[in-house]
Amino acid sequence: MYADLHIHSHYSDSTRSPKEIVKRARELGIELLCVSDHNTTAAYNELIPLCKAYDIKLIRGAEISASFEDKEFHVLAYDFDFENKEIIDICKQCETVYADMDLELIKKMSVDYTEISLEDFNSYKRNLKNGGWKGFDYLKSKNLVNEVPSFFKHISDHHIKLENSFPSIEHVINVIHKANGKAVIAHIGETMKNNLIEIEPLLTKLKNMGADGFECYYTTHTEETTNVLIDFCQKNNMLITIGNDDHGGFNNRSNVIYEMGAIKVDFNKLNLKDIEILG
């Protein structure tokens, strides 16, 4: 059985609806999936009956943003109580940070680009089929960005600094645990540019903070990074997961394709202990 436990829907920043995700998973022979939208679980009202209809097993989840050592990290929350107030609040906090980032960028760019304004941005309606988020979609409609890196180049070039920040990764892990979930650190290889000198000391730190596992198999992880993560998880009896970070093509780049099925790993190579699998 093949699994993909890191997929996004148009409820966050993918081009795909839940139905399109499930149909695509069936076409690719993926029998276990998790839609881990950014800071929301809105897709699950549709997903649960769809997976049952298509005979696909499902793990409930979300991807929550966090700060750690001056970097933005992402934590995959699996099998948690969706109605837990602290989870809901922390997701809203993260969404506010992203929304504030959009507003500050548009304010600053409107000084240099007469075709955009804060008033125009506020009235803009995002097309879910485009993927991404409102700020990106708006700037793309003005031909000011194309791929995701071009958006964040504007963030850097315009020195966007926010008063509010993402919650600490330790706090995110604790909140997930209070909601009876499991906390898996997403794509640490990509976050740290596959620099094992920097990655290896972080693994013990994150484990001591309560992380339950690592996303070992990931689109941009090198073989060396994957092997180090698997070895660490096996030695410490931690969760081992896989994800391709599929956004329906939205986040594909000239040199990286994030697609369901890009990495296929047999279910037996994963460690999903104590995670409820629906279906």
Side-chain angles (χ1 to χ4, degrees):
M1 177 168 69
Y2 293 119
D4 195 329
L5 305 181
H6 189 166
I7 302 166
H8 296 276
S9 80
H10 66 199
Y11 282 100
S12 59
D13 56 353
S14 172
T15 66
R16 288 194 175 114
S17 67
K19 186 171 184 178
E20 288 169 328
I21 289 170
V22 173
K23 288 178 70 175
R24 183 63 178 149
R26 173 52 63 204
E27 291 168 3
L28 293 170
I30 295 169
E31 299 176 67
L32 172 64
L33 61 79
C34 174
V35 169
S36 50
D37 277 325
H38 295 286
N39 307 304
T40 181
T41 60
Y44 276 83
N45 286 337
E46 295 177 48
L47 268 172
I48 292 172
L50 280 167
C51 285
K52 185 175 182 180
Y54 281 82
D55 194 26
I56 289 177
K57 299 182 187 305
L58 179 68
I59 292 173
R60 294 170 297 178
E63 185 174 20
I64 301 176
S65 304
S67 60
F68 179 55
E69 297 192 349
D70 297 321
K71 288 183 179 290
E72 179 182 340
F73 274 70
H74 291 169
V75 183
L76 293 161
Y78 292 127
D79 189 24
F80 61 92
D81 175 9
F82 280 10
E83 295 181 0
N84 179 274
K85 185 179 183 302
E86 285 190 78
I87 284 276
I88 293 169
D89 288 346
I90 211 169
C91 286
K92 287 179 179 177
Q93 177 185 346
C94 293
E95 288 181 331
T96 298
V97 173
Y98 287 120
D100 289 348
M101 184 185 299
D102 277 356
L103 286 173
E104 287 302 309
L105 180 60
I106 300 304
K107 283 181 187 177
K108 290 196 173 184
M109 288 185 68
S110 64
V111 175
D112 301 319
Y113 299 92
T114 57
E115 62 266 50
I116 67 175
S117 70
L118 194 57
E119 183 180 6
D120 187 37
F121 172 70
N122 285 334
S123 64
Y124 180 78
K125 302 298 182 184
R126 181 168 78 91
N127 184 347
L128 295 180
K129 294 302 294 180
N130 290 342
W133 56 95
K134 185 176 177 179
F136 181 92
D137 199 37
Y138 175 72
L139 292 178
K140 189 173 183 180
S141 75
K142 304 294 185 179
N143 297 314
L144 293 174
V145 300
N146 45 29
E147 294 183 339
V148 173
S150 62
F151 179 89
F152 286 101
K153 186 176 188 306
H154 281 299
I155 292 287
S156 176
D157 290 348
H158 290 84
H159 308 290
I160 303 300
K161 300 291 183 184
L162 300 174
E163 291 184 10
N164 297 318
S165 62
F166 297 114
S168 72
I169 200 166
E170 188 168 18
H171 180 57
V172 171
I173 291 169
N174 288 337
V175 168
I176 293 169
H177 288 165
K178 287 180 182 177
N180 300 313
K182 300 295 183 183
V184 171
I185 309 302
H187 48 62
I188 193 170
E190 174 157 295
T191 302
M192 304 305 297
K193 299 181 179 179
N194 286 305
N195 184 336
L196 292 177
I197 293 174
E198 294 184 350
I199 290 171
E200 291 189 86
L202 294 183
L203 302 183
T204 299
K205 287 184 183 179
L206 290 164
K207 173 183 173 292
N208 290 340
M209 287 180 181
D212 297 295
F214 292 91
E215 187 174 43
C216 299
Y217 298 99
Y218 183 76
T219 311
T220 61
H221 283 181
T222 62
E223 184 177 353
E224 290 80 7
T225 295
T226 301
N227 289 338
V228 164
L229 291 171
I230 291 170
D231 183 62
F232 185 86
C233 288
Q234 288 178 337
K235 285 179 178 177
N236 292 281
N237 194 27
M238 299 177 76
L239 300 176
I240 295 172
T241 71
I242 177 174
N244 285 291
D245 214 351
D246 186 301
H247 286 67
F250 162 73
N251 62 333
N252 288 345
R253 303 169 194 176
S254 56
N255 61 335
V256 184
I257 304 298
Y258 299 86
E259 294 281 354
M260 271 188 284
I263 301 171
K264 279 192 169 183
V265 177
D266 190 273
F267 180 82
N268 292 326
K269 291 186 177 181
L270 306 179
N271 180 3
L272 303 179
K273 61 171 185 169
D274 302 324
I275 291 179
E276 182 183 10
I277 297 174
L278 304 179

